[in-house]
Amino acid sequence: MAGLQQKRTHTPVVADDSCWPLLYMYYPADSNPDDQAFLAHTEEVIRAVHARHGVGARYVVLADLRHFNRSVNPSARRAVGELLNRICDDYGYPTAEAVVVRSQILRLMVTAVNFVQFQKKHERRAFPTLEQAHKWLIGEAKRIDDLTLPTSVPW
């Protein structure tokens, strides 16, 4: 993507699929959804994971935003929702998504992204800890798609 040719002004997003079908997404503190280069890099990272596993692969997402602490304006929330829609339209929607956030403001942001991504076909919930999010994902993956997730994860 063109955005990757520019100098990065942020720490890269990490997409760890080593525990597939659990996709762990880590968003560093300096993540900036207002920055087109950040969005382009994030899209490339997520698409690379999906390219490895194929269209229609069943999976769950654990999005770690514990260190992310900035407010996000409405146009950036819309851009994130639209980015997720494009990726899901191309590769398929996750079975479930757990977002780990520490502040109430960020929980509201998750709700706003849900609103933009209104046609999503999966449950997305916000949790205060990785442990709570992971436990919920284990149950949802089994209940919805009979996916077995690892009970121990490296993060």
Side-chain angles (χ1 to χ4, degrees):
M1 298 201 141
L4 290 178
Q5 304 306 320
Q6 303 168 4
K7 181 181 175 200
R8 273 201 198 117
T9 58
H10 56 81
T11 307
V13 169
V14 173
D16 182 347
D17 61 343
S18 63
C19 294
W20 192 263
L22 173 61
L23 172 58
Y24 174 73
M25 296 293 303
Y26 173 74
Y27 294 87
D30 63 347
S31 298
N32 184 0
D34 293 317
D35 179 10
Q36 288 302 312
F38 169 79
L39 291 174
H41 169 74
T42 301
E43 183 169 2
E44 182 172 297
V45 165
I46 296 170
R47 285 185 181 280
V49 168
H50 286 291
R52 284 194 293 278
H53 297 284
V55 174
R58 302 308 302 155
Y59 65 103
V60 298
V61 176
L62 178 55
D64 184 352
L65 282 86
R66 290 175 297 161
H67 302 286
F68 181 81
N69 58 8
R70 67 172 55 221
S71 63
V72 179
N73 69 47
S75 65
R77 290 191 299 262
R78 186 174 308 107
V80 169
E82 290 170 353
L83 178 145
L84 295 173
N85 283 339
R86 283 193 308 274
I87 293 169
C88 290
D89 287 347
D90 290 347
Y91 292 100
Y93 285 81
T95 298
E97 182 177 1
V99 182
V100 182
V101 292
R102 290 192 171 160
S103 75
Q104 185 60 33
I105 297 288
L106 290 177
R107 283 188 191 93
L108 293 172
M109 183 189 80
V110 170
T111 301
V113 169
N114 284 344
F115 181 75
V116 172
Q117 210 184 3
F118 65 90
Q119 81 271 19
K120 70 181 176 61
K121 298 165 178 65
H122 67 283
E123 181 78 24
R124 177 185 292 132
R125 289 195 186 170
F127 295 90
T129 69
L130 282 175
E131 294 78 16
Q132 290 171 328
H134 182 230
K135 183 178 179 180
W136 178 77
L137 283 173
I138 288 171
E140 288 298 287
K142 189 69 172 169
R143 181 181 70 79
I144 296 171
D145 268 347
D146 200 28
L147 293 174
T148 302
L149 301 182
T151 56
S152 176
V153 290
W155 329 288

